[in-house]
Amino acid sequence: ELGFERANLREIAARAGVSAGTVLHYYGDKRGLLHAALFEELDAALDRAIQQAGERSTLLAQLDTLTRAVFAYYKARPVLSRVALKESLFADAPWAGRFAEQAARVSHAVTALALDARTRRELPARTDPALLSVTYLSVFYFALIAWAQQAVADPEALVAAQLRQLFPHSEGDPR
């Protein structure tokens, strides 16, 4: 209702039916409360996105599915997502480590998808799956930040266009 900056920890606690001291004890401050409120939900969204991606048959389709599923999470709550992104990019411990673990989990999943694609001969044998994963995440995070800044309305299309530059010989629409 008020936005993150104007929200008051005492009012948040009162609406939750607990004391401000209880919130401070468990979460440290309102940033910690924000991270705790969204972390598990984002974690579950990432698990679903990784699973959905694995169900597709080509690497390009898998990455497109992963991209769309994660963006669906953010787009379902745009204002809160923008605040959460801003706060999580510069989070203190322990949240910085927990968000880094989420990114690492996605990176490992993309690396595994790329390894499988290389085994299927969809990618050249010289392709480094870990480097491909870093490249994908770089493109994804660029699109996510551009979306958060409201510079890009369709971040999924931006990621898809960039992936097609990386895989110019891939056939078919990944959707």
Side-chain angles (χ1 to χ4, degrees), residues 8-72:
N8 177 295
L9 189 68
R10 290 186 197 284
E11 177 65 23
I12 293 169
R15 287 187 183 195
V18 298
S19 72
T22 299
V23 175
L24 290 171
H25 174 75
Y26 286 101
Y27 304 107
D29 58 15
K30 72 179 179 181
R31 281 180 175 76
L33 179 61
L34 173 71
H35 295 321
L38 297 177
F39 183 83
E40 288 184 24
E41 193 174 85
L42 177 58
D43 220 31
L46 292 174
D47 286 343
R48 285 190 303 276
I50 291 167
Q51 179 184 356
Q52 291 170 2
E55 295 168 358
R56 302 303 302 263
S57 61
T58 67
L59 181 60
L60 194 56
Q62 291 168 332
L63 295 177
D64 187 68
T65 298
L66 181 64
T67 300
R68 289 180 184 286
V70 176
F71 270 108

Side-chain angles (χ1 to χ4, degrees), residues 32 46 74 87 105 108 130 140 156-157 160 172:
L46 292 174
Y74 289 113
E87 296 301 325
R105 191 169 78 244
H108 291 302
F140 178 87
E156 300 96 325

